């Protein structure tokens, strides 16, 4: 299907800017529905003059949402939060907003709809984040059965809030922690001697996925007939334990930071305090998410069905993690005398 106009909700975010740029490169006009169009003005140079139009939209305002989707060939919803703050609750952002956008999109005749969800979305999950993500998927499908749902694992790229956060921590802290359930226990070595296993299996597993690949997946869902109405699990080519993630960060940052195990009960205590920060480092709900591996199940189609070969984290991290290295941009190379 040839796209002429696409509305992207949350298009000024990390994933959004990639999708907006990808659409613009195909000559599509993009209407970017955001809370603050002035802050989203940086998107305009990603396309030709007038091709990308940020638009002020309050997702709680039905009239504003209806104007945003009017005349669109496709709609992409990227709205999501990692923690609750005031009126921005998981219910409001993950369930009510998608339902409203999908309902008004259907009324406007839109049949191409991409809902950005998350790997691990499950209405029976102990974590409210994962439960509401699944409820949001169901709400969208009630109004637009042909909607495509993307469930990515942790998304990485130049502006991510994952590897960049841990990279920044290497500047300030001598250690990087990883949380384990099966560590700090007595075991026996190969010779039968008693020993203490601190790290266990290395903590929860992740399957980081490159943001450019997620944007390509969204494009495929908007343009290919055979992908309509399906849910896709998006994971990178390799799964890492939390310990391996931290070791990768230290390697890329070229720091002497130590990677150390921490029991899960410590994470719960930390979260009970840190949840009250303006921008929490970790919350009790996120601890519940960490108790389950964030990797593809294999029960749903993934990148292979989309015709996309996922990009390895090791191929991309050196392009932006160098900023955390000691003396970055201040190293003077001299030719040997």
């Amino acid at each position: 299907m040839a796209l002429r106009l696409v509305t992207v909700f949350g298009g000024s975010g990390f994933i959004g800017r990639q999708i907006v740029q990808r659409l613009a490169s195909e000559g599509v006009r993009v209407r970017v529905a955001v809370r603050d169009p002035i802050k989203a003005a940086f998107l305009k140079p990603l396309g030709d003059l007038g091709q990308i139009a940020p638009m002020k939209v309050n997702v709680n305002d039905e009239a504003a949402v209806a104007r945003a989707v009017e005349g669109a060939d496709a709609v992409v919803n990227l709205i999501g939060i990692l923690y609750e703050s005031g009126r921005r609750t998981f219910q409001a952002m993950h369930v009510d907003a998608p339902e409203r956008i999908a309902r008004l999109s259907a009324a406007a005749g839109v049949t191409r709809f991409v809902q950005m969800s998350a790997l691990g979305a499950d209405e029976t999950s102990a974590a409210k984040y994962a439960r509401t993500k699944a409820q949001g998927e169901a709400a969208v499908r009630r109004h637009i059965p042909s909607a495509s749902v993307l469930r990515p694992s942790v998304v990485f790229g130049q502006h991510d809030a994952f590897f960049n956060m841990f990279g920044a921590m290497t500047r300030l802290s001598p250690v990087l922690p990883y949380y384990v359930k099966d560590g700090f226990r007595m075991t026996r070595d190969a010779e039968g001697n008693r020993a203490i296993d601190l790290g266990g299996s290395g903590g929860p597993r992740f399957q980081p996925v490159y943001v450019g690949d997620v944007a390509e997946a969204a494009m495929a869902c908007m343009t290919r007939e055979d992908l309509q109405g399906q849910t896709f699990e998006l994971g990178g080519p390799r799964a890492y334990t939390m310990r391996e993630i931290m070791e990768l960060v230290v390697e890329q940052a070229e720091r002497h930071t130590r990677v150390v195990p921490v029991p899960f009960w410590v994470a719960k205590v930390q979260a009970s305090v840190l949840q009250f920060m303006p921008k929490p480092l970790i919350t009790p709900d996120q601890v519940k998410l960490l108790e389950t591996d964030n990797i593809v199940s294999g029960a749903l189609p993934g990148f292979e069905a989309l015709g996309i070969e996922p990009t390895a984290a090791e191929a991309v991290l050196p392009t932006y993690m160098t900023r955390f290295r000691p003396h970055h941009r201040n190293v003077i190379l001299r030719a040997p005398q």
Side-chain angles (χ1 to χ4, degrees), residues 286-324:
Q286 289 169 355
V287 173
K288 292 177 182 177
L289 284 173
L290 288 173
E291 292 182 314
T292 304
D293 289 340
N294 194 249
I295 60 176
V296 299
S297 67
L300 294 171
F303 278 123
E304 185 176 353
L306 294 164
I308 299 170
E309 184 175 350
T311 306
E314 288 84 352
V316 178
L317 292 180
T319 67
Y320 66 96
M321 291 293 285
T322 55
R323 72 187 74 173
F324 301 112

Side-chain angles (χ1 to χ4, degrees), residues 67-291:
R67 286 194 297 272
V69 301
E70 183 180 1
D73 297 312
V75 172
V76 180
N77 178 38
L78 305 173
I79 295 173
I81 56 175
L82 294 175
Y83 57 89
E84 297 180 304
S85 177
R87 295 182 180 179
R88 290 174 61 80
T89 64
F90 288 136
Q91 176 68 31
M93 297 293 102
H94 293 172
V95 185
D96 298 342
E99 188 279 333
R100 186 175 299 109
I101 295 168
R103 172 166 48 81
L104 295 173
S105 295
V110 175
T111 58
R112 301 290 174 121
F113 194 104
V114 178
Q115 170 69 12
M116 190 63 64
S117 186
L119 202 59
D122 183 352
E123 293 196 40
T124 65
S125 173
K128 192 174 180 181
Y129 173 89
R131 290 200 307 273
T132 53
K133 279 291 189 181
Q135 291 164 4
E137 296 176 6
V140 167
R141 287 263 171 77
R142 282 199 298 271
H143 297 289
I144 306 180
S146 59
S148 301
V149 173
L150 300 180
R151 292 179 175 177
S153 182
V154 175
V155 183
F156 70 90
Q158 183 178 0
H159 303 286
D160 71 49
F162 187 70
F163 284 107
N164 278 315
M165 178 182 70
F166 294 126
M169 287 174 64
T170 65
R171 290 173 169 171
L172 305 172
S173 173
V175 299
L176 280 183
Y178 65 94
Y179 302 119
V180 294
K181 282 184 176 181
D182 56 355
F184 298 89
R185 60 181 181 178
M186 295 299 299
T187 61
R188 292 187 180 276
D189 59 23
E191 298 176 353
N193 300 316
R194 294 175 66 85
I196 300 178
D197 178 11
L198 297 177
S201 57
R205 293 187 297 163
F206 302 86
Q207 205 163 341
V209 56
Y210 178 48
V211 65
D213 296 335
V214 176
E216 286 297 326
M219 287 295 297
C221 290
M222 281 185 274
T223 56
R224 286 175 50 181
E225 294 284 348
D226 60 315
L227 302 180
Q228 302 306 294
Q230 297 188 60
T231 298
F232 299 91
E233 292 186 333
L234 305 181
R238 178 186 166 190
Y240 305 78
T241 63
M242 192 174 182
R243 175 172 57 200
E244 290 171 330
I245 289 287
M246 297 305 179
E247 290 171 346
L248 187 57
V249 168
V250 171
E251 176 187 343
Q252 293 296 327
E254 295 184 355
R255 298 272 178 173
H256 298 293
T257 309
R258 293 191 62 186
V259 176
V260 299
V262 174
F264 249 95
W265 67 264
V266 174
K268 294 177 181 179
V269 172
Q270 291 175 332
S272 68
V273 177
L274 296 176
Q275 66 177 317
F276 298 110
M277 295 175 62
K279 189 175 181 180
L281 291 175
I282 191 168
T283 67
D285 198 68
Q286 289 169 355
V287 173
K288 292 177 182 177
L289 284 173
L290 288 173
E291 292 182 314

Side-chain angles (χ1 to χ4, degrees), residues 8-13 31-41 43 53-59:
V8 182
F9 285 84
S12 61
R31 189 182 287 156
V32 187
V34 292
R35 288 183 294 166
D36 190 338
I38 295 177
K39 289 184 178 179
L43 294 169
M55 179 180 184
K56 182 177 178 61
V57 177
N58 181 340
V59 292

Side-chain angles (χ1 to χ4, degrees), residues 26-49:
E26 295 293 327
V28 181
R29 287 194 301 122
V30 188
R31 189 182 287 156
V32 187
V34 292
R35 288 183 294 166
D36 190 338
I38 295 177
K39 289 184 178 179
F42 72 92
L43 294 169
K44 292 183 178 182
L46 300 180
D48 293 332
L49 183 64

